[in-house]
Amino acid sequence: NAEYMGLSRVFTEATLQPRGLRHAAIRAYWQLLNFVYMPLTLVALLYFKCNTTQDGVSVMAADPTQKCYDKVWYGVLFLAIIFAALYALGIPIAITALLRYKIRSPKFTELKFLMRYGFLVGRYTRPQYLYEVKIMATKLGVVASIVFLSQNDYIQVGGAMWVLVVSLVHIG
């Protein structure tokens, strides 16, 4: 069977050939990006989370020694927006582009696609191969509710729960 011959090639290619090792390293990188998406996005967005002290001064939640909305804060704001967008939006867009490109490639059989990108698509049927990106959008919603909603923990938790309920309803 030609499909199983491709499977044996995938295994030997991944373990013996430099090209296969390069592909394995690239897949590991994509898997790592998926794994660290939520904490990286949280760290990138925390620059925008400011708390007001009892004195009425706005300080960064991540570093209360740094004031918000002053000259230094605004000086770094452009870079913070760029990196927050790169992490929060760039990673899901890049994963979407990768999966769409690979699934449409005539070189990829279904089995080869699953062998290479199963960590992203293995739990879903073929029509839902982008479902992991939807999960990343849910993670972004949870992080955004924690960062951008009020300082009140109950409101943040309520926002995160709302995001999760909407995500659950979307599944059903």
Side-chain angles (χ1 to χ4, degrees), residues 51-122:
N51 295 331
T52 305
T53 64
Q54 293 175 348
D55 303 336
V57 177
S58 291
V59 295
M60 294 178 65
D63 184 6
T65 63
Q66 300 293 322
K67 290 183 181 177
C68 289
Y69 316 121
D70 65 357
K71 196 175 201 177
V72 174
W73 191 86
Y74 281 114
V76 180
L77 182 62
F78 180 72
L79 286 173
I81 290 170
I82 296 287
F83 283 103
L86 280 174
Y87 285 125
L89 302 174
I91 293 173
I93 289 170
I95 288 177
T96 300
L98 170 78
L99 292 177
R100 283 194 172 174
Y101 173 76
K102 293 297 184 180
I103 203 163
R104 292 177 181 163
S105 173
K107 292 191 293 185
F108 271 90
T109 64
E110 177 111 12
L111 182 60
K112 193 172 183 181
F113 181 77
L114 284 173
M115 291 300 300
R116 290 218 175 144
Y117 302 101
F119 63 91
L120 289 172
V121 300

Side-chain angles (χ1 to χ4, degrees), residues 8-25 27 116:
S8 66
R9 185 169 179 266
V10 167
F11 285 132
T12 58
E13 179 182 62
T15 56
L16 300 177
Q17 304 290 325
R19 180 174 180 227
L21 291 173
R22 187 178 71 240
H23 284 295
R27 284 192 309 274
R116 290 218 175 144

